[in-house]
Amino acid sequence: SLGAVTESNIVVMPDSILLGEMAAVKHADGTSWWVVVPEDESNVYNLILIDSFGIKKSHDQVIGLPIDYAGMGTGQCKFSSDGTKFARWTSTQQLLYAEFDRATGTFSNEEQINVIDTTFRGGVEFSPNSRFLYVASTYQLHQFDTWDNDIASTQTLVAEWDGYQDFVRTFFSRLQLTPDCRIFISLPGSHRFWHIVHNPNEKGIACNVEQRGLSLKTWTFNTMPYFPNYNLGALGDSGGYPCDSTKITVSSTDITIHQPTGFVYPNPTNGIIQIDMPPNVGELNFQLFDMAGKPIFTKKSILPFEEIQLTDVANGMYFYKIFDRKGQTWSGKVVITR
C-alpha cells in the first residue's frame, strides 16, 4: 500500500562521515537529488544519489584541504541556489569554493581561500541570485563575489561583532537563506537572537546586515535549520528561484519575546563573573553578602554586562544583590571555588 516501509536499516555508505555538514541539491533532471557528505578528518566528499530507484552512494571525490580534528563541527556546507556552486567553511580548512556539475555530481575548479580574521566557529550561504557568497567567522561576516574572475580578491567585510553580550557574546555562526530572500545567521552558544542580512543580492555593505535583527521566542543553541532549493528544476528551466522577497515569513513582532531575569555566570566561578540583565536597565550596583548576611563586596555604577572581579573573596557560597536606579532588584546565590 502507499506509504508502507518495505525495507529499513539499509547501509548506504560505511565510511566515517562528518556529522552536521551534509548538503543537498537537485539533480540535473529536476527530480532526483544529490546529497554531499564530507568524511571525518579528510578531504573526501561522498556523493549520494536519491532517485526513483532508491538511495545509493554514487561516488566520492577528493577536493580541497583535509580537515583536521580541531576543525570538526566548526563549519557548514552549502550549494548555491542555482546548483552550480559549492562552498564549505571550517575553522582550520577555511573557505573551500568549487563549481558543481548537477548532471554528473562532480566538483571542479576548486579554490582554497583564507578568510581574513577568522576564528573557531562559522558558516556559509549564497545570495538568492547565486552571485554573492557570505562567510561567517565568529567575529566577522564577509562577502565574496563569485562572478569575479578573482573571487578571493573580492573579500569584503560587511559586518563585525558590535560587542553585545546576551549571556554569551552574540557572534556570527550558521547561515540560512529564507523563503523571503533574507539570510538569517545563528549565534554560537545559547542565545535569543538571529542576525539578518536583509538584502543579500546587493554588493558590499548595501546588503544591510542587522545584528540581532530577529528576537527568538526562547533560548536556542547554535541551531539553524537547513533548506535546499526545492524550486530548482531541470537544466534549462527558466524558473527555480529559491525565494519571494514580497513575503515576510518571520518578524520579531509575530512572537512574544522572552525577557530574562538577572543572573550571574559562570556559577560556580573561580572569582570572575559576568552579570546578565534585561536590556536598557542602565547603570547598576552590585553587592555580595556572606551566609550570615554581612556585606563583603560592593561595586557601584556597573554596566549590564560588565565583568566583576571577586578574586580576593574566599571560596564558599554567597548571596548577591543587584539593583538599578529605578528600584528594580535581582538576587541569587553564587559559589566561588578555585
Side-chain angles (χ1 to χ4, degrees), residues 148-319:
D148 194 284
N149 291 328
D150 185 0
I151 296 174
S153 69
T154 67
Q155 178 172 344
T156 302
L157 179 66
V158 294
E160 189 165 21
W161 176 56
D162 59 10
Y164 188 87
Q165 295 188 122
D166 180 56
F167 181 67
V168 295
R169 297 171 182 176
T170 55
F171 292 145
F172 303 95
S173 187
R174 307 291 196 262
L175 294 83
Q176 176 59 49
L177 179 64
T178 66
D180 57 14
C181 295
R182 298 183 292 176
I183 292 177
F184 288 167
I185 307 172
S186 70
L187 287 61
S190 299
H191 57 270
R192 298 174 294 126
F193 302 99
W194 281 349
H195 307 304
I196 302 176
V197 183
H198 286 282
N199 306 108
N201 280 341
E202 299 297 324
K203 189 171 184 177
I205 60 173
C207 69
N208 187 16
V209 180
E210 182 184 6
Q211 297 191 43
R212 299 173 306 281
L214 180 66
S215 296
L216 304 177
K217 189 172 184 178
T218 187
W219 295 88
T220 186
F221 181 83
N222 195 46
T223 303
M224 179 59 68
Y226 174 70
F227 297 104
N229 183 9
Y230 294 101
N231 296 329
L232 187 61
L235 288 180
D237 287 357
S238 57
Y241 204 67
C243 54
D244 182 352
S245 60
T246 66
K247 298 179 179 179
I248 301 298
T249 56
V250 179
S251 71
S252 293
T253 59
D254 297 332
I255 57 179
T256 301
I257 306 304
H258 168 73
Q259 296 294 339
T261 58
F263 61 96
V264 303
Y265 65 93
N267 193 6
T269 175
N270 62 1
I272 300 175
I273 60 174
Q274 297 275 152
I275 62 170
D276 186 3
M277 293 290 113
N280 304 318
V281 296
E283 290 187 344
L284 301 161
N285 294 325
F286 176 89
Q287 286 186 305
L288 194 69
F289 304 85
D290 62 19
M291 295 299 291
K294 179 182 177 182
I296 61 171
F297 179 90
T298 299
K299 189 170 185 180
K300 297 182 178 181
S301 300
I302 60 175
L303 298 176
F305 298 99
E306 187 169 333
E307 183 177 272
I308 297 177
Q309 301 275 348
L310 300 175
T311 51
D312 293 332
V313 179
N315 288 355
M317 179 180 292
Y318 300 89
F319 298 101

Side-chain angles (χ1 to χ4, degrees), residues 36-48:
V36 175
V37 185
E39 283 193 12
D40 190 8
E41 296 188 66
S42 173
N43 57 346
V44 176
Y45 292 76
N46 294 276
L47 277 298
I48 295 174

